[in-house]
Amino acid sequence: MTFNIETHLYQLLTQAHLKERTHLSGGIYLGNDRPDDSSLEDIILQCPQCLYKQKKATPPAPAQPFLTGEAQIIIYVPDKRVRMGRLGEQYISPRLRLRNLCEAIAVILRSSHLEGVTFTLSRQTLTPLPQIRQHAATLYLNFLTQGKE
C-alpha cells in the first residue's frame, strides 16, 4: 500500500504542474530514487508507515477496509552562495525558496480530492545538510484510506 500512496502523491503534484508553476530545477522522485549527486531542487515522496485499522472484535476480512499511516514530502534546495565582503564567500540557507515550495505543495494538497483518500498536513521540519550544501524541508502527512486499496 505504501507504493499506492506514493503514486497518489506523485500524480497530485505532477497533474497540478508543480514543477512548471514553481520552476523546480530538479525532479519529483518516489522513494529513494533521487540521484545521490544531485545539486538541484528535488522533491522526494515517501510513505514509510502504513497500518491496517479494523474495528475490535470483528473477524479479519480479505480486503482491509481502512488503512492509515504517514507519508513524507522531502524538498531539497541547494544553499545560496553569497559574497560577504572581506570574509569571502559563504553559503546560506535558501529559506524563502523552501517556504515558497512548501506553500505551493500545501495548496495543492489542500485543494486536492482523491476518492477514498484523506491527507492531513501534520508537521514540517527543516534540516540543514552542510556536507552537501543543501537544506531539506520535510512535510509530514497523515492519511486515511477507505474502501479499496
Side-chain angles (χ1 to χ4, degrees):
M1 187 60 199
T2 60
F3 303 111
N4 294 352
I5 295 298
E6 289 173 355
T7 302
H8 286 315
L9 287 171
Y10 182 84
Q11 290 172 344
L12 277 176
L13 298 181
T14 55
Q15 289 175 359
H17 304 288
L18 175 71
K19 189 170 178 176
E20 294 81 11
R21 287 177 35 205
T22 61
H23 305 289
L24 188 73
S25 65
I28 300 174
Y29 301 98
L30 298 175
N32 294 320
D33 292 344
R34 180 182 190 235
D36 290 336
D37 61 348
S38 178
S39 60
L40 302 174
E41 299 171 342
D42 294 317
I43 295 175
I44 311 300
L45 307 172
Q46 294 179 337
C47 182
Q49 178 180 344
C50 284
L51 301 170
Y52 285 101
K53 294 288 185 180
Q54 182 173 328
K55 292 182 181 179
K56 291 184 180 183
T58 58
Q64 297 291 338
F66 296 103
L67 183 74
T68 184
E70 184 175 75
Q72 300 172 354
I73 300 175
I74 307 167
I75 306 161
Y76 289 90
V77 176
D79 291 346
K80 294 171 67 176
R81 187 189 316 185
V82 294
R83 182 106 172 113
M84 302 296 282
R86 284 187 263 170
L87 299 175
E89 293 180 341
Q90 180 178 339
Y91 288 90
I92 62 169
S93 167
R95 295 179 69 81
L96 182 60
R97 181 65 176 150
L98 282 167
R99 177 183 173 187
N100 291 339
L101 289 170
C102 287
E103 287 175 354
I105 291 171
V107 165
I108 291 168
L109 291 172
R110 288 184 182 125
S111 64
S112 69
H113 176 74
L114 284 174
E115 189 67 35
V117 180
T118 304
F119 289 108
T120 306
L121 285 167
S122 62
R123 67 186 190 278
Q124 175 186 338
T125 60
L126 181 63
T127 307
L129 304 166
Q131 66 276 18
I132 58 172
R133 292 190 172 126
Q134 294 183 6
H135 276 69
T138 305
L139 300 173
Y140 294 89
L141 309 170
N142 293 328
F143 65 86
L144 175 67
T145 64
Q146 300 172 358
K148 300 182 249 175
E149 290 185 13

